[in-house]
Amino acid sequence: MLSINPTSYLVSAMPVSPLTLSHQLLMLAEQADQAGLGRSARSLLKLAHTVCTDRPRLPIA
């Protein structure tokens, strides 16, 4: 029997800007809503908002 290790297909993640990530999530939410997937659209929308709001803040010098 052929055994495939799922980790062999993982690619190391490159850093992504929170703004870029939230933009992609918002676009997916819009497409989900247009496809009639309101529940998924709301979940994606909530996730897009948390990407930018739950980031640690740097102290102001």
Side-chain angles (χ1 to χ4, degrees):
M1 177 179 218
L2 180 61
S3 176
I4 298 174
N5 183 359
T7 58
S8 64
Y9 293 99
L10 296 178
V11 178
S12 62
M14 296 184 65
V16 177
S17 161
L19 182 61
T20 301
L21 181 57
S22 63
H23 180 261
Q24 292 295 322
L25 290 167
L26 289 172
M27 288 188 353
L28 285 172
E30 183 178 12
Q31 291 173 358
D33 187 54
Q34 290 172 352
L37 303 170
R39 189 174 185 183
S40 295
R42 285 188 298 277
S43 294
L44 288 165
L45 185 60
K46 288 178 187 177
L47 184 58
H49 284 284
T50 61
V51 167
C52 287
T53 57
D54 290 346
R55 307 227 2 114
R57 304 288 184 225
L58 294 174
I60 299 175

